[in-house]
Amino acid sequence: MCGIVAYTGCKEAYPILIKGLKRLEYRGYDSAGVSIIQGGELATYKQRGSVDQLDEFCMTQNVTGHTGIGHTRWATHGEPSSTNAHPHLSADGRIAIIHNGIIENYLPLRKELTQRGYVFHSETDTEVLVHLIDDIHKNEQCDLAEAVRIALTNVVGAYALAIISADEPDQIILAKKGSPLLIGVGKDEYFIGSDGSPIVEYTRKVVYLEDGDVAVVNPHKKLEIKNINDNVKKRPYLQKLELNLEQLEKGGFEHFMLKEIFEQPRAIKDSMRGRLNVKKDIVALGGIIEYEQKMLNARRFIIVACGTSWHAGIVGEYLFENLVRIPVEVEYASEFRYRNPLIYEDDVVIAISQSGETADTIAAIELAKSKGATVIGICNVVSSTISRITQAGSYTHAGPEIGVASTKAFTAQVTVLALMALSLARKKGTLPLSEYHRIISCLELIPKQVEETLKLNDQIKEIAKFFVNKRNAIYLGRGVNYPVALEGALKLKEISYIHAEGYPAAEMKHGPIALIDEEMPVVVLATEQDTYEKTVSNIQEVISRKGKIISIVTKGDTLVKGMSDFCIEIPETIELLTPLLSSIPLQLLAYHVAVLRGCNVDKPRNLAKSVSVE
Ligand code: G6P
């Protein structure tokens, strides 16, 4: 979490920094700050609150200069406050640092530096870095870049760093380990960002820093990158930034989340583009072709992910086990990596991540790789860390997702998982051609059916009124719609702050049923055919205890509809693909409830979109 932006060149730095910070706010938004080299001195402005608040304040100041750094924070060490906001400064105020990540050994470093007379102003782990660098710079008689490099050899943890000094007014020093950082290369100027969004309108030439890199950018010199540990120079590898500026704007919608919900017909279509040809009965994912044989011979699949991506992973379990008939385990990446799991060389690990930067998922991948397993990625952000450290993979092509609550990334992930499962099943011979043909024909129809489902928006807005003053909600689903129940509950709690639980419908009687009374909304996914009668019984159990039923059913259903207080009818598809439709009303419901409750939909409290800390 935390967003980093920096600029050096002949333009005014502040407008570039503040625009970049606004684009990066999805990474954290509890405080923000900038430091700019102004007349040979560092001018630093920082405060608690949003980037807009920082901008309002800076507008009253005379902020000018051609080199600067900016930061938007998601607090880890120390509460959100102007003191804990970045940049942090050296004792003489001549060096400023911004940081995304966590310095794990900050306590012993802080103790040592305190004993040497350094005074700490903040509670952050970051402040140790600036004093450590300053100390080395002064005592080892080396230049600042070398001091940064030496300092980092003493640091344990994750970081993306940008450092400026009033004594080197055109220079920015950068370093990366574990958190993302890229350099946009302009003509005699450099743009730095945690992702490409602050860079894209100025240049498409970028260098993605790699773990262990320390770099020096200076418009008057060649870009220099070295390895932190061995001090050996590296040749910068220039790549093209694949990002579209229009995708970063709200396009007339009130919130990014709503825009992204409505983008799903396009996003799903894009994730199938060039991969699905129903006429020729072809499903092919170019990115994994080389590893397909390994996947077909896998002992089992282990899906690792966090949050919404983990929910998509559970849908994947149903798809893979049903279609490919190879066992699947779905693991929270954070649990997987710390429980000494059994991993075999013929396991195939599938890592799912929208951002491609989630620290726990990255660590799980490294662990799986170290045990010799094949690791396949499903990522949305092109050239993200996960897409680069996995052996092969498929992009979801959902386009940038800015709203913190994930929506289109989820359905695009499920689409890619369906394509993967179908392509493997056909080759493995676990699916007769007729059945394969039927499923891919249904898959091709999904974008149109999502469009149809989105027309329920007004009806769902009405239903949302029923939730406004509720304190709890239960979401029930069976089979492949069980993860959709989990996802629906997550959406509601993360953006409207109503406590919500997702459960497999049959598990309700083992606990959650105790919570049901006339105040409890129970959202039931009742689209699946095989267990329809069982779900009907579960609904009866809720009604007998005066709970209120909000059902999602297949169009034309009359039985469940007749039992429900509110009923949402979605188009018919085959059971395995229903999550692509049934998740849509739940996203809209969460959205409208949050809006009615006056919540900050795109930036819910305490959350961040990209969780680059463990
Ligand atoms: C955060 C986000 C979630 C996301 C999760 C995993 O918690 O708020 O929306 O699902 O991280 O992120 P990833 O980028 O790996 O999918």
Side-chain angles (χ1 to χ4, degrees):
M1 6 271 271
C2 300
I4 283 185
V5 59
Y7 173 78
T8 180
C10 52
K11 296 192 175 79
E12 273 297 327
Y14 179 75
I16 296 169
L17 298 181
I18 209 76
K19 201 176 203 183
L21 286 181
K22 285 180 188 172
R23 297 230 173 100
L24 289 174
E25 248 188 323
Y26 73 87
R27 303 179 65 85
Y29 34 79
D30 58 48
S31 50
V34 292
S35 276
I36 294 197
I37 299 173
Q38 204 165 332
E41 301 291 327
L42 279 178
T44 299
Y45 309 91
K46 53 184 194 170
Q47 61 182 49
R48 191 194 163 128
S50 66
V51 175
D52 276 339
Q53 284 166 282
L54 174 73
D55 193 21
E56 258 170 50
F57 174 70
C58 288
M59 284 304 174
T60 64
Q61 310 293 307
N62 180 25
V63 187
T64 174
H66 301 281
T67 299
I69 55 180
H71 188 267
T72 176
R73 179 170 185 248
W74 184 85
T76 57
H77 297 61
E79 59 166 17
S81 69
S82 57
T83 320
N84 288 331
H86 299 212
H88 292 284
L89 302 180
S90 58
D92 59 8
R94 299 199 65 76
I95 303 172
I97 190 168
I98 51 176
H99 169 215
N100 165 208
I102 287 183
I103 305 304
E104 285 167 18
N105 60 336
Y106 86 103
L107 278 174
L109 289 173
R110 185 172 169 135
K111 196 167 161 204
E112 198 185 313
L113 287 159
T114 308
Q115 280 162 1
R116 294 161 69 98
Y118 286 90
V119 177
F120 283 80
H121 301 284
S122 77
E123 300 153 276
T124 66
D125 50 335
T126 305
E127 201 183 348
V128 297
L129 287 177
V130 73
H131 295 316
L132 183 63
I133 292 165
D134 191 27
D135 191 62
I136 295 169
H137 184 40
K138 293 206 167 104
N139 293 321
E140 307 264 329
Q141 309 286 314
C142 57
D143 67 23
L144 189 61
E146 179 60 3
V148 171
R149 192 192 68 76
I150 297 171
L152 292 177
T153 59
N154 293 299
V155 159
V156 180
Y159 46 80
L161 299 172
I163 299 146
I164 53 173
S165 160
D167 301 321
E168 295 276 356
D170 298 322
Q171 166 187 281
I172 306 173
I173 300 162
L174 307 164
K176 169 185 159 40
K177 188 179 162 224
S179 303
L181 200 57
L182 57 152
I183 305 171
V185 183
K187 195 176 171 322
D188 302 328
E189 57 185 350
Y190 291 98
F191 306 84
I192 286 94
S194 294
D195 68 22
S197 63
I199 298 173
V200 63
E201 66 201 86
Y202 309 106
T203 177
R204 289 199 173 263
K205 280 194 254 172
V206 290
V207 175
Y208 289 90
L209 287 184
E210 291 180 352
D211 280 353
D213 285 352
V214 56
V216 181
V217 296
N218 183 326
H220 312 299
K221 295 183 187 163
K222 269 190 158 173
L223 170 61
E224 188 179 283
I225 305 180
K226 282 182 175 178
N227 182 279
I228 292 168
N229 290 323
D230 58 23
N231 204 10
V232 172
K233 273 194 192 172
K234 286 175 67 174
R235 183 193 281 264
Y237 174 45
L238 268 188
Q239 297 189 52
K240 186 171 174 236
L241 179 60
E242 304 283 355
L243 196 65
N244 177 345
L245 199 54
E246 277 163 33
Q247 294 172 322
L248 301 172
E249 313 288 342
K250 276 193 212 151
F253 284 89
E254 204 179 325
H255 296 99
F256 279 113
M257 183 181 176
L258 191 62
K259 174 185 171 231
E260 286 156 8
I261 291 173
F262 272 83
E263 275 176 350
Q264 288 177 106
R266 198 269 313 139
I268 296 173
K269 214 185 265 170
D270 281 353
S271 56
M272 296 197 283
R273 198 180 300 284
R275 294 167 168 175
L276 174 67
N277 185 332
V278 177
K279 274 197 199 117
K280 294 190 177 157
D281 274 328
I282 294 174
V283 176
L285 290 154
I288 56 162
I289 275 178
E290 270 181 57
Y291 283 83
E292 224 164 40
Q293 212 47 49
K294 272 226 146 103
M295 294 177 87
L296 290 168
N297 295 328
R299 172 198 292 244
R300 65 180 168 165
F301 291 103
I302 304 172
I303 298 181
V304 292
C306 302
T308 291
S309 299
W310 183 76
H311 295 156
I314 308 179
V315 178
E317 178 179 19
Y318 284 87
L319 285 162
F320 273 66
E321 290 202 343
N322 264 284
L323 302 175
V324 197
R325 308 302 293 154
I326 293 176
V328 180
E329 285 171 27
V330 188
E331 302 260 4
Y332 282 119
S334 54
E335 288 297 315
F336 177 73
R337 55 173 302 208
Y338 285 117
R339 69 169 174 77
N340 194 15
L342 292 170
I343 308 170
Y344 303 102
E345 286 187 2
D346 51 359
D347 282 334
V348 171
V349 172
I350 302 178
I352 309 177
S353 174
Q354 187 285 128
S355 61
E357 302 295 345
T358 301
D360 284 318
T361 311
I362 292 172
I365 293 168
E366 300 293 6
L367 174 68
K369 277 168 68 178
S370 74
K371 305 277 182 193
T374 301
V375 187
I376 305 289
I378 297 181
C379 286
N380 192 35
V381 177
V382 175
S383 296
S384 54
T385 302
I386 292 178
S387 70
R388 284 181 286 132
I389 63 172
T390 43
Q391 280 126 314
S394 297
Y395 284 117
T396 45
H397 297 308
E401 194 180 62
I402 313 284
V404 166
S406 187
T407 53
K408 63 175 179 173
F410 173 77
T411 44
Q413 287 164 347
V414 171
T415 306
V416 169
L417 285 161
L419 291 169
M420 230 177 232
L422 283 161
S423 135
L424 293 174
R426 192 65 205 116
K427 294 200 174 105
K428 204 167 170 65
T430 44
L431 201 58
L433 182 61
S434 56
E435 185 56 8
Y436 168 80
H437 185 77
R438 191 172 78 91
I439 304 176
I440 61 173
S441 307
C442 288
L443 189 56
E444 194 187 31
L445 281 180
I446 292 285
K448 272 242 149 324
Q449 294 181 313
V450 172
E451 234 169 86
E452 218 178 295
T453 311
L454 288 167
K455 293 189 183 140
L456 300 168
N457 188 37
D458 287 342
Q459 183 204 353
I460 295 168
K461 204 169 169 179
E462 277 302 304
I463 300 175
K465 290 181 186 161
F466 175 71
F467 282 73
V468 174
N469 298 314
K470 298 286 180 274
R471 296 171 62 88
N472 297 290
I474 293 178
Y475 285 65
L476 302 176
R478 280 176 181 262
V480 75
N481 275 300
Y482 154 55
V484 178
L486 295 180
E487 176 59 9
L490 176 66
K491 287 290 87 84
L492 189 73
K493 72 184 135 197
E494 65 184 343
I495 60 167
S496 74
Y497 318 140
I498 294 175
H499 171 243
E501 294 283 347
Y503 257 89
E507 277 294 300
M508 182 185 66
K509 55 187 173 292
H510 299 294
I513 199 163
L515 297 170
I516 293 174
D517 60 18
E518 59 276 13
E519 282 302 308
M520 179 67 89
V522 181
V523 179
V524 186
L525 292 139
T527 53
E528 68 286 344
Q529 293 102 35
D530 289 354
T531 49
Y532 184 79
E533 281 77 23
K534 308 257 181 235
T535 305
V536 169
S537 306
N538 297 141
I539 293 174
Q540 292 287 12
E541 289 154 17
V542 173
I543 295 172
S544 311
R545 287 153 186 90
K546 300 196 165 49
K548 298 287 178 286
I549 298 288
I550 299 91
S551 62
I552 317 288
V553 302
T554 307
K555 210 179 237 168
D557 178 298
T558 48
L559 179 59
V560 170
K561 192 175 180 182
M563 298 162 75
S564 308
D565 296 273
F566 303 97
C567 179
I568 300 165
E569 294 183 65
I570 60 171
E572 185 171 3
T573 185
I574 58 152
E575 192 162 327
L576 274 176
L577 298 179
T578 48
L580 291 168
L581 302 177
S582 57
S583 55
I584 312 280
L586 304 190
Q587 297 167 349
L588 285 168
L589 182 65
Y591 171 78
H592 288 299
V593 175
V595 170
L596 288 172
R597 284 166 66 91
C599 301
N600 189 344
V601 174
D602 283 334
K603 293 178 202 153
R605 69 184 181 210
N606 305 340
L607 295 178
K609 182 138 196 82
S610 179
V611 183
S612 51
V613 296
E614 290 168 31

